[in-house]
Amino acid sequence: MELSEIDQINLSAADLKSIAVLTGAGISAESGIPTFRGKEGLWKQFRPEELATPQAFFHDPKLVWDWYFYRRNLIAQAEPNAGHFALVELEKMLRESFTLITQNVDGLHRQAGSSNPIELHGNIFVNRCHECASHFSDDEIDFSEMPPLCPACRGPVRPGVVWFGENLNPIHLEDAFAKSHQATLFLSIGTSTVVHPAASLPEIARRGDAKIIEINPDSTPISHAADYTIRDSSANALPPLIEKIRSIFAVD
Ligand code: APR
């Protein structure tokens, strides 16, 4: 019987001392949320420059808000899948030696029970003032005016996500860099690894002597550097991988 890709993965207890995980849109694909660059990806139907930049927002705030309302509605109907829940199990095993870093803005990791994901690209359900950065819930915002105005400073309110050309939250980024560098095992899951600075995290982990496991049906720019690649969906691959890790814990 052919060894599965997961059976071929050789991990020691030392490899499990500190685990960092980076996820991208692929982990939410099986929850019914389109990825960005896949066959039916969002960027195949829309142009990111027209929807996911500050320039696009100031040029046509209604078009940009309508697009985010469309995505919020899609995501609101989605549930976390087996891949999200497997990472919650891994966090319970490792506790403070586990770090989850996500590029996703859909909030499905939190919904599955992940306690403290680093949401590098923000959260789509947050409404944030572009001027004073205050956050507001939907019922605090008057969406009848476009752009909606901040109740605190009257600045324009936009979705609380990071757009192309914008800086990431420096505290989140610093934390993600540090935890990737310290990791003994780095899982890169469901990301095309093309958008920086998130895309540099696997390389930072590798330079810190972490073992790299990539879970993605397709190859990516970091596949060559991974110690193991699992060419499968994360909902299929993560549950058995986490059980393999649990068995190593049980022995040692
Ligand atoms: N399981 C695992 N991986 C999958 C699955 C799946 N079921 N389905 C697709 N994938 C993989 C694809 O092969 C692809 O490599 O997920 C990856 C998704 O890549 P992108 O669509 O580019 O998404 P992501 O890497 O998260 O994009 C990064 O770009 O547009 C910006 O801000 C946006 O956070 C996003 C960033």
Side-chain angles (χ1 to χ4, degrees):
M1 181 180 78
E2 204 175 287
L3 273 182
S4 81
E5 289 173 310
I6 290 176
D7 293 337
Q8 292 168 32
I9 294 175
N10 182 11
L11 293 173
S12 69
D15 293 326
L16 308 181
K17 232 164 47 34
S18 166
I19 299 184
V21 177
L22 172 68
T23 63
I27 197 168
S28 295
E30 280 145 303
S31 296
I33 299 174
T35 63
F36 291 97
R37 296 173 182 82
K39 288 178 285 302
E40 321 74 47
L42 286 170
W43 296 147
K44 290 279 179 294
Q45 306 166 54
F46 305 100
R47 284 168 42 75
E49 302 75 26
E50 285 168 351
L51 295 163
T53 64
Q55 295 75 9
F57 176 66
F58 287 106
H59 174 68
D60 189 341
K62 183 174 180 333
L63 172 71
V64 172
W65 264 113
D66 283 348
W67 190 61
Y68 279 91
F69 285 138
Y70 156 73
R71 286 180 59 198
R72 282 181 174 184
N73 185 39
L74 259 184
I75 292 166
Q77 296 164 54
E79 294 290 327
N81 63 60
H84 296 102
F85 291 119
L87 292 180
V88 175
E89 287 308 305
L90 187 57
E91 177 180 344
K92 285 178 188 161
M93 264 186 257
L94 281 119
R95 290 197 296 274
E96 64 287 341
S97 315
F98 172 87
T99 303
L100 173 57
I101 304 156
T102 188
Q103 300 169 89
N104 298 344
V105 298
D106 57 32
L108 288 185
H109 283 302
R110 283 185 199 283
Q111 204 178 320
S114 294
S115 59
N116 185 23
I118 300 174
E119 293 176 318
L120 285 182
H121 295 168
N123 184 306
I124 198 168
F125 292 104
V126 166
N127 304 303
R128 188 176 79 223
C129 175
H130 190 75
E131 295 304 324
C132 68
S134 305
H135 288 194
F136 300 96
S137 61
D138 283 0
D139 52 17
E140 293 174 290
I141 299 292
D142 175 4
F143 285 107
S144 64
E145 46 187 5
M146 270 297 154
L149 297 182
C150 170
C153 77
R154 312 300 294 161
V157 172
R158 31 86 52 95
V161 299
V162 179
W163 280 329
F164 290 103
E166 290 188 317
N167 294 327
L168 277 63
N169 176 316
I171 297 167
H172 292 169
L173 197 53
E174 194 48 49
D175 195 12
F177 280 150
K179 296 290 178 30
S180 299
H181 184 70
Q182 289 158 14
T184 51
L185 178 63
F186 188 93
L187 308 184
S188 184
I189 304 167
T191 177
S192 57
T193 334
V194 294
V195 175
H196 288 269
S200 61
L201 295 174
E203 179 55 22
I204 288 172
R206 197 184 63 77
R207 275 199 233 123
D209 292 333
K211 269 190 186 161
I212 311 286
I213 300 177
E214 178 179 58
I215 299 177
N216 193 322
D218 298 340
S219 65
T220 73
I222 65 128
S223 297
H224 70 285
D227 295 273
Y228 302 99
T229 55
I230 303 174
R231 291 282 169 255
D232 199 348
S233 77
S234 42
N236 282 346
L238 274 171
L241 177 63
I242 302 319
E243 286 320 305
K244 180 186 185 86
I245 290 173
R246 192 191 305 278
S247 67
I248 296 166
F249 264 122
V251 166
D252 290 89

